[in-house]
Amino acid sequence: MDFGTIAKPISEVAHNLGDYESFRRSFSWEAARAELQGLPGGGINIAHEAVDRHASGARAGHVAIRWLGRQGAVEEYSYRDLSRLSARFANVLRGLGLAKGERVYALTGRIPELYVAALGTWKAQGVFCTLFSAFGPEPIRARMAIGEARILVTTETLYRKKIAGIRASLTALRHVLIVGEDGKAPELEGTLDYRRLLEAAHDQFTIPPTDAEDMALLHFTSGTTGTPKGAVHVHGAVIAHHITGKLALDLHAQDIFWCTADPGWVTGTSYGIIAPLTNGLTSIVDEADFDAERWHEILERERVSVWYTAPTAIRMMMKAGADLARARTRPALRFLASVGEPLNPEAVRWGVEAFGLPFHDNWWQTETGGIMIANFASMDIRPGSMGKPLPGIEAAIVQAGSDGSLRIVDTPNSEGELALKSGWPCMFRAYLHEPERYRKCFSGDWYLTGDLARRDADGYFWFVGRKDDVIKTSGHLIGPFEVESVLMEHPAVAEAGVIGKPDPMAMELIKCFVALKKGFEPGEALKKELLAHARKRLGAVVAPKELEFMDNLPKTRSGKVMRRLLKARELGLPEGDTSTLEGS
Ligand code: ATP
Ligand code: MG
């Protein structure tokens, strides 16, 4: 399927990655590491690279985080501020007896204390784990139990609603630190006052040596395909966070960068906390949830220059209409990027219509820790493609041979599993307590991603689908993404999800679920029109045979369409783990 090409926008900023091929040839992870400082006594620590390094240099007073409160409050934190506050938090943790490698959890929503807690935890050799604040008590309990949470930072409201009832079952948990609301001290039995502790702590802290292989982060996957897994990441990952932010997101120190992801998901940590800080720029952190009008206002008022968001948000903005975007001016905005799900070509092009800039899709996973495949600022975009592998990353399309061995597929456009050669710094080191599940992800040197893809003759990678979602129909293997992208081309379609449904003749037939844009009503005529459009674009064999309208598709809280749930519901099967389902 051809979705055309979009020429790279003209930019006044010199791109960090110029010529892809020559950059790739000259790249080495050693050289990438040399862009960071390392701890004075040896070793590497995320917090040192993110804030202390800047706080002792020319960028000390530069705004690192500009926080926008839900109700309109604004707070700014310089690199010096973050360095001192996180030193205080590290001293607090030490005072509370946190041992190296023990887990500090945060359940706070996007408030400044979350960022301080992350940095302070890394300084104190702890392991940081954030939980999305919209989780209910059970998913919270399960994730805290897996990680043996020692210390929890949360707010008064979240504690009352979600922790109080499960606390007794969290046997590893020693202390709960509460961030009081509206400036008031919390009054909750059995908890400590975060602010009081911080005020009493010393604002200097010498980071003890941390090794590149020391565990620093625990991140749970989105749970799109099954039970969420706790991926372990190490301090040395910061090398890859830094360099991928610089190359794939084209981060420059003078940028105002907005990563809209919540730190409860890996994007919100790797590119919401770490990469922007190591690159020395100003990050926007918005406490509020998605709201199209508010987001347009932020992009304009905060003079955002680089914006990193997700397909689900883009689709919601598309639903609200391009006029909202066109009514505003954003002279600083120069680079738009997206991750988390396939980005339909229609959405890439909508960027140009609404913002005068295309969205740059990139691909990665909780397990990979950082961006692996990207559409770079210096390259033309092929809408619908994930782009090319980052320098330092070797990606291949592989197929299992009949004897179970792995075969690398060199023929352009052949489909197979996307595999990555092990060895980049931010690769996960384990699924916590699940060694067997971890082992199964590898074949020799190759990490198997569980996603199917193809590579075209020019080296661009195209997402086909998750292995679990691929549809077998009339002797063909069909990825849902291509079918969904074609449906998205129709002006009435806001979201589409496609599944395979058992069929005696075709093995599976393609069924799609569609949510409509504002101003369109479901009905027989529109259903016929959409099916006809898909047949015309895809050909009769792979065209969907059934179509059902929905108000909204079931999505994870990080905004991914849960096709497995569409399928389970369609077939009347058990729904499986729905802990990350939006609205649950
Ligand atoms: P789980 O592993 O628990 O089922 P998940 O895979 O959704 O959940 P994440 O690690 O958050 O958890 O998401 C990574 C997955 O998201 C990728 O494997 C891929 O399927 C999808 N993805 C991410 N970015 C893209 C992209 N640009 N294009 C297509 N798919 C993407
Ligand atoms: Mg996954």
Side-chain angles (χ1 to χ4, degrees), residues 221-225 229 365-367 431 447 449-451 466 560:
T221 61
S222 292
T224 314
T225 54
K229 300 149 274 192
Q365 309 177 304
T366 310
E367 290 87 342
Y431 287 133
Y447 163 65
T449 65
D451 284 345
R466 293 164 182 265
K560 297 163 195 260

Side-chain angles (χ1 to χ4, degrees), residues 244-322:
T244 53
K246 186 171 166 183
L247 301 180
L249 302 176
D250 199 37
L251 299 181
H252 287 66
Q254 65 272 27
D255 274 321
I256 302 207
F257 173 60
W258 186 24
C259 169
T260 61
D262 188 272
W265 310 112
V266 72
T267 308
T269 304
S270 297
Y271 301 99
I273 305 180
I274 303 171
L277 293 175
T278 61
N279 280 283
L281 49 75
T282 300
S283 263
I284 301 296
V285 174
D286 183 25
E287 186 190 20
D289 293 330
F290 175 84
D291 175 85
E293 190 60 63
R294 182 177 172 103
W295 279 31
H296 283 299
E297 191 185 315
I298 291 175
L299 287 168
E300 178 179 55
R301 192 192 56 223
E302 302 300 332
R303 298 187 304 278
V304 172
S305 58
V306 178
W307 181 34
Y308 193 23
T309 189
T312 181
I314 299 169
R315 287 194 295 261
M316 285 198 276
M317 291 184 106
M318 288 168 81
K319 237 180 180 175

